[in-house]
């Protein structure tokens, strides 16, 4: 079973729609340990907690392109009813809380986040904010990719960065396609960073499923990289009718050192 990156509790990829929309629905169940998703009774060994959502009811939960951010924020403070099972004490409790507090429980690994007391948590920063701040990640990405004995490590190079949402299958597929199309023509050094490893200030405020894709192409100018990506990424939808790579990621020329 695959899990979405960044959460303290192992959240199955099958719940990617719930994570993207911040809308967990009736029947959604998350365990505090990955082994619980296996065959029981063995899966119960060492299990701390489980959350099963009772309400809201099931819906299509599908999002139109571009609507993820607004839907997420709208759902953040909406109500959710759930059962919290504490296996060590053989105790089951029913909670009425918010989708955002449930999200934080899974994110931080702290069931106390479910308590509807005190100030409501702020929604995490979205993918568009990470995209906006990609330039801040350039020094850390370049330093990491230019270590070791890789080809062209000390010569001129081009570096492409993109913000990727691990809970969004379209974003994951796009990141894989970008790497594949560059690997087909160029020698490539690749890395992926959490916002914290990328050196972004306030990284703990970003959505836990976000990461930075970093692709270093030694010995190539940015123009060659952009031309290679044009055929993959250009949809002809811009008002000007021209391809804008900046909508997808950040391409930077790295001088020889």
């Amino acid at each position: 079973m695959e899990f979405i990156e960044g959460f303290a509790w192992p959240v199955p990829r099958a719940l990617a729609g719930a994570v993207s929309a911040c809308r967990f629905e009736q029947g959604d169940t998350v365990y505090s340990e990955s082994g619980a998703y296996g065959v029981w009774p063995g899966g119960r060994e060492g299990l701390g907690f489980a959350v099963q959502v009772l309400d809201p009811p099931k819906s299509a939960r599908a999002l139109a392109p571009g609507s993820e951010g607004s839907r997420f924020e709208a759902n953040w403070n909406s109500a959710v009813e759930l059962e919290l099972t504490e296996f060590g004490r053989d105790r089951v409790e029913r909670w009425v809380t918010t989708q955002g507090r449930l999200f934080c429980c899974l994110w931080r690994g702290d069931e106390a986040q479910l308590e509807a007391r005190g100030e409501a948590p702020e929604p995490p920063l979205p993918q568009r904010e990470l995209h906006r701040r990609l330039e801040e990640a350039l020094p850390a990405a370049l330093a990491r990719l230019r270590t070791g004995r890789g080809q062209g490590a000390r010569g001129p190079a081009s570096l492409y960065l993109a913000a990727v949402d691990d809970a969004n299958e379209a974003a994951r597929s796009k990141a894989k396609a970008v790497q594949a199309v560059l690997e087909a023509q160029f020698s490539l050094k690749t890395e992926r960073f959490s916002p914290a490893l990328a050196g972004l200030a306030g990284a703990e405020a970003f959505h836990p499923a976000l990461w930075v894709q970093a692709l270093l192409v030694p010995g190539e100018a940015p123009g060659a990289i952009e031309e290679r990506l044009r055929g993959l990424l250009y949809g002809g939808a811009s008002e000007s009718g021209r391809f804008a790579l900046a909508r997808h990621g950040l391409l930077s020329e790295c001088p020889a050192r």
Side-chain angles (χ1 to χ4, degrees), residues 15-47:
L15 293 178
V19 170
S20 291
C22 193
R23 180 182 167 89
F24 294 87
E25 298 178 344
Q26 186 179 54
D28 291 343
T29 303
V30 185
Y31 299 102
S32 58
E33 279 75 39
S34 59
Y37 296 98
V39 179
W40 285 44
R44 181 168 174 164
E45 294 180 8
L47 178 57

Side-chain angles (χ1 to χ4, degrees), residues 125-134 163 200 206 210:
L125 297 177
Q127 183 182 8
R128 63 178 178 271
E129 178 66 14
L130 181 57
H131 174 85
R132 188 183 70 82
R133 294 178 58 186
L134 284 173
L200 272 64
F206 281 97
L210 296 181

Side-chain angles (χ1 to χ4, degrees), residues 80-191:
V80 61
E81 184 178 356
L82 56 87
E83 273 189 354
L84 175 69
T85 302
E86 185 176 1
F87 288 90
R89 301 174 65 178
D90 199 24
R91 184 172 66 178
V92 179
E93 295 180 335
R94 183 166 292 197
W95 293 74
V96 176
T97 184
T98 63
Q99 294 279 356
R101 292 183 187 276
L102 172 55
F103 188 99
C104 288
C105 169
L106 307 180
W107 176 11
R108 307 297 188 187
D110 180 10
E111 67 281 0
Q113 297 278 346
L114 297 172
E115 295 184 13
R117 287 189 272 175
E119 190 173 345
E122 290 291 325
L125 297 177
Q127 183 182 8
R128 63 178 178 271
E129 178 66 14
L130 181 57
H131 174 85
R132 188 183 70 82
R133 294 178 58 186
L134 284 173
E135 191 168 352
E136 296 177 38
L138 281 172
L142 187 58
R144 182 76 171 267
L145 285 164
R146 276 189 154 168
T147 58
R149 300 167 60 185
Q151 181 180 351
R154 304 187 68 85
S158 292
L159 177 62
Y160 177 77
L161 301 180
V164 183
D165 181 353
D166 197 58
N168 185 307
E169 191 54 42
R172 282 163 39 86
S173 297
K174 179 179 174 180
K176 291 176 183 177
V178 166
Q179 180 172 333
V181 78
L182 293 182
E183 282 179 331
Q185 183 170 339
F186 306 110
S187 172
L188 203 63
K189 295 189 71 178
T190 69
E191 189 61 88

